[in-house]
């Protein structure tokens, strides 16, 4: 049980008392280990929530087979752990690669929907040398509109 890093919070909002459970989690990628080993370390440390790195490796939607996904979910359930967020840090500024990044982030949004994970994090990416900053900004905005349009009905 990973309750040592969970605690209850009572807040008053609009005249209503709200109880919520807050848990401290860990970004599994920070262990720099294969998925099962990283999960074991997180469990040993007492974490109740994990964030998955979905850009490459074990949690990339392109390589996360149904059996590996099922095993991950079983391990998390057996240890009273949840996935708090998926991480999709890709580059959306470069017009040469933005379309691929949008498709990849959309697949992460789809995975988050299947796993009932409410958060997918991302970042803008870096500005390639020689790329016009205004073009980079407009490419980023267009990319985010596409991802949000994909995610909205889910």
């Amino acid at each position: 049980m990973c309750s040592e890093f969970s605690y209850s919070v009572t807040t008053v909002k609009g005249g209503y008392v709200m109880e919520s459970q807050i848990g401290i989690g860990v970004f599994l990628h920070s262990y720099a280990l294969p998925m099962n080993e990283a999960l074991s370390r997180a469990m040993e440390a007492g974490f109740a929530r994990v964030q998955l790195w979905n850009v490459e490796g074990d949690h990339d939607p392109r390589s996360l087979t149904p059996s590996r996904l099922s095993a991950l979910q079983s391990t998390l359930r057996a240890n009273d752990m949840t996935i708090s967020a998926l991480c999709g840090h890709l580059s959306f500024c470069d017009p040469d690669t933005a379309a691929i990044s949008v498709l990849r982030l959309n697949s992460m949004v789809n995975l988050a929907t299947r796993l009932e994970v409410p958060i997918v994090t991302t970042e803008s990416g870096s500005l390639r040398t020689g790329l016009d900053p205004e073009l980079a900004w407009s490419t980023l905005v267009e990319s985010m509109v596409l991802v949000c349009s994909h995610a909205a009905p889910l």
Side-chain angles (χ1 to χ4, degrees):
M1 177 96 156
C2 299
S3 60
E4 63 190 271
F5 289 129
S6 292
Y7 55 93
S8 293
V9 174
T10 303
T11 56
V12 177
K13 194 171 195 174
Y16 297 96
V17 176
M18 299 169 40
E19 290 285 331
S20 56
Q21 190 73 17
I22 295 179
I24 306 297
V26 64
F27 183 34
L28 284 185
H29 190 66
S30 63
Y31 286 109
L33 295 169
M35 176 172 54
N36 290 337
E37 290 177 58
L39 271 173
S40 293
R41 293 275 180 93
M43 288 183 274
E44 290 167 10
F47 289 106
R49 289 157 179 76
V50 294
Q51 180 178 358
L52 304 182
W53 172 255
N54 300 97
V55 176
E56 58 191 17
D58 292 334
H59 306 121
D60 185 331
R62 298 173 299 178
S63 61
L64 190 57
T65 63
S67 62
R68 288 174 67 195
L69 180 59
S70 179
L72 171 64
Q73 290 174 301
S74 295
T75 300
L76 292 169
R77 270 193 304 274
N79 291 282
D80 203 21
M81 297 176 79
T82 59
I83 302 170
S84 58
L86 301 183
C87 177
H89 290 191
L90 301 162
S91 179
F92 297 93
C93 294
D94 191 331
D96 294 340
T97 59
I100 292 167
S101 292
V102 166
L103 292 174
R104 291 192 61 208
L105 191 58
N106 284 347
S107 71
M108 292 172 205
V109 168
N110 294 343
L111 178 61
T113 301
R114 283 199 322 262
L115 293 172
E116 298 180 11
V117 175
I119 298 169
V120 177
T121 65
T122 193
E123 60 182 31
S124 62
S126 56
L127 188 60
R128 176 172 44 89
T129 303
L131 186 60
D132 175 45
E134 288 185 30
L135 176 60
W137 177 253
S138 66
T139 302
L140 169 63
V141 170
E142 289 170 15
S143 296
M144 292 299 100
V145 166
L146 291 170
V147 172
C148 290
S149 296
H150 173 79
L154 302 176

